[in-house]
Amino acid sequence: MTSLDDLFERPPVPSNKRKLYFNREPNSTYKATKLSANGDVRTNGRATIEDEEDQDDVAAGPEIPPEEEEEPPDDEDGRFFGGGINRKTADVLDFIDERDKNDANPAKIDSTWLRKLALNFEKKISKNTELRAKFEDTPQKFMSSEADLDADIKALSILAEQPGLYEEFAKLGCVTSLVSLLSHDNTDIAIDAIEIINELTDEDVDAQQEQWDALVDAMLEADLLNLLYENITRMNEELESDRAGIYHILGVLENLFSRHSIILKLGRDTKFIQWLLSRIQIREAHVTQNKQYAAEILAILLQSSPENRTHFMSLNGIDLCLQLLSPYRKMDPSKVTEEEEYVENIFDCITCCVDDAEGKSKFLEAEGVELCLIMLREGKMSRPRALRLLDHSLGGPEGGPCCLRLVGAAGLKATFGLFMKRQDSDTTEHLLGILASMLRSLPANDASRIRLLAKFEEKNWRVINTLVQIRREVASRIAIVDKDIQAEKANLPMEEEAQRANEWLSRRLDAGLYVLQTADVILAWLTAEDERARKVVEATLADKGEDLEVIKRTLRDQLDTPEASSEGEDPMLKDMISTLVDCI
């Protein structure tokens, strides 16, 4: 087993996990002085005036030179030529070195060590509980036991380096005792316990799945989730220690999210979603780390569970989040700050909700389409996020009302204006998704659809030329990937081909498969619906010796791999694509 000496000699393991920091007031930092052991202020080499009882006796002018003293002889064994110590001191140091060499082996971190640690830990808890009950009104009599308990809690952090002991740690009942400390009357003790739980469950701990499961199962049986909620509601963020406590609670939640059942339980059996929604609404001069972290945890909860999204929407979450985003319709958050991450997380919260039918309805009621269009016209940092949000809200079989609202709110000009400019791949993907959704969902012969088709006709069908140009650029990239995949298939047996199918699909998607499919769906709609548009598409493709067959080929490929589309789970998608293939 590992020795204590070896453990503390290990270099720190690099971690991608966020780290807690505190924002200190400039005045308090300025006033903080470093004291030496005797209480004097350290001068750091600067001149100071020492306080003396009689300052009037300090003489001015240069110091009087001291009387001449007899210089000590230069002895080779003296201060400058020897080691700086006499023979007696050297003998003492040699004795200490020899004793250290003959010391017994250092303590081993094994089951025996863990049982001793557990026994001592339980004794400290019992002693503190007993003294608190006996001297409830006299804190001085149990403060010492509380300090001992605090030290023992922090000592448990060494277990994070020994995950092999997690299962026995749980069997000894120490996990239950540790979790029970979250209900301690002293919040400092509870915060220490939460911090240790955060360390033990951290993703950076090199624990096997069964070891991690044994630890977490014991914590959940001890009612960890409800105790975390009770603590997060009793803490006051005006206190630095409580701010750290809330941060560690959010860290524990993030660690537990690796198990999907905990995400469901958290949304169903606790009020964490309600607390998180309240926390992200608190006004602050600058977005703090805890506010940003709360928004991130909320986004993870909503992305992972339809039940959590339903609960969030019942709390009017979409409307509240849109209100939080409203100030950013023209204003940008500071770059590479907590505020920027906070805004992105709020966008994520709404975006995952509008994929559901109820979310689309709530989004319309809260005038989300109108806010997004303002951001498209006037926003900077918010523009690509608003575009992504619109893409999700208009998509799917229930996206018709949002499509109608976009046309009614004069959104065609902003959408087509962006499309005709050179954009990055993500922006192009979302613009294509919006156009494809409107062609699919706007009612036939309706004024809104006529207005949409008229936009394609503007400037001599310039939009069609842009669409064909986009599909050609992407198709050339995909052709290179397809050639590599075919070469790999030639040397693989059939069973391995099936195993690598998802990998190959991922490579094609990275090359732009979704963009190609969406662009060809739009061209297919125009070809099937308008004879003039059909002629323009055929003429534009003919410039490079192509015809409508290239579009049909893409649509047939999409039928074979519907998961490549963002609407892969749409039950009506296959029927729509099959109809388009027949029409062209």
Side-chain angles (χ1 to χ4, degrees), residues 529-546:
E529 190 158 351
D530 190 302
E531 187 60 32
R532 292 175 303 161
R534 182 188 186 95
K535 292 179 181 179
V536 173
V537 172
E538 289 176 335
T540 308
L541 289 172
D543 291 343
K544 300 289 184 178
E546 300 170 326

Side-chain angles (χ1 to χ4, degrees), residues 59 147 185 196 209 278 299 313 384:
D185 291 336
I196 292 301
Q209 188 62 46
S278 300
M313 288 184 283

Side-chain angles (χ1 to χ4, degrees), residues 344-403:
E344 290 179 354
N345 289 323
I346 298 299
F347 268 110
D348 289 342
C349 288
I350 306 175
T351 301
C352 65
C353 287
V354 298
D355 284 331
D356 304 328
E358 182 182 359
K360 296 179 191 295
S361 176
K362 296 285 186 181
F363 186 67
L364 278 177
E365 292 175 10
E367 298 183 348
V369 173
E370 289 82 352
L371 177 61
C372 287
L373 289 176
I374 293 174
M375 291 178 174
L376 291 190
R377 299 186 189 102
E378 304 178 14
K380 293 181 181 178
M381 177 268 186
S382 61
R383 181 181 295 162
R385 279 85 180 172
L387 192 64
R388 174 171 171 259
L389 179 53
L390 279 176
D391 184 15
H392 283 258
S393 65
L394 271 61
E398 300 92 1
C402 289
C403 292

Side-chain angles (χ1 to χ4, degrees), residues 73-138:
D74 288 340
D75 183 13
E76 291 187 1
D77 294 331
R79 178 178 177 188
F80 297 102
F81 294 96
I85 58 175
N86 56 32
R87 182 172 299 279
K88 184 178 180 180
T89 305
D91 290 341
V92 172
L93 292 175
D94 290 341
F95 170 77
I96 293 174
D97 290 341
E98 188 66 25
R99 188 185 64 177
D100 289 342
K101 291 178 183 178
N102 297 328
D103 253 359
N105 290 331
K108 299 291 185 181
I109 301 180
D110 54 13
S111 298
T112 303
W113 172 87
L114 180 61
R115 284 192 289 271
K116 290 179 181 179
L117 179 73
L119 181 61
N120 191 51
F121 182 54
E122 297 290 349
K123 284 181 178 179
K124 295 293 174 62
I125 295 176
S126 300
K127 182 180 179 180
N128 178 249
T129 303
E130 180 182 344
L131 292 177
R132 266 189 166 272
K134 188 175 181 179
F135 304 107
E136 184 177 358
D137 299 326
T138 314

Side-chain angles (χ1 to χ4, degrees), residues 121-122 125 129 173-185 189-190 193 197 218-219 222-224 227 231 234:
F121 182 54
E122 297 290 349
I125 295 176
T129 303
C174 288
V175 174
T176 302
S177 300
L178 177 63
V179 174
S180 70
L181 291 175
L182 271 64
S183 59
H184 200 280
D185 291 336
I189 295 293
I197 292 172
M219 290 179 176
D223 204 20
L224 173 65
L227 288 172
N231 274 274
R234 72 167 171 163

Side-chain angles (χ1 to χ4, degrees), residues 1 159-171 175 200-202 205-219 259:
M1 300 295 289
L159 287 173
E161 297 290 339
Q162 299 295 324
L165 297 174
Y166 277 9
E167 295 178 76
E168 187 168 355
F169 185 60
K171 290 177 182 177
V175 174
L200 296 180
T201 58
D202 194 280
V205 174
D206 189 21
Q208 300 296 323
Q209 188 62 46
E210 58 272 14
Q211 297 166 348
W212 191 88
D213 287 342
L215 180 72
V216 171
D217 287 341
M219 290 179 176
R259 185 186 292 182

Side-chain angles (χ1 to χ4, degrees), residues 26-53:
N27 289 337
S28 64
T29 304
Y30 174 76
K31 294 176 182 177
T33 54
K34 298 180 179 179
L35 298 180
S36 63
N38 61 6
D40 295 333
V41 178
R42 294 179 182 170
T43 62
N44 295 328
R46 293 173 295 184
T48 60
I49 302 176
E50 298 184 359
D51 294 331
E52 298 183 2
E53 294 183 0

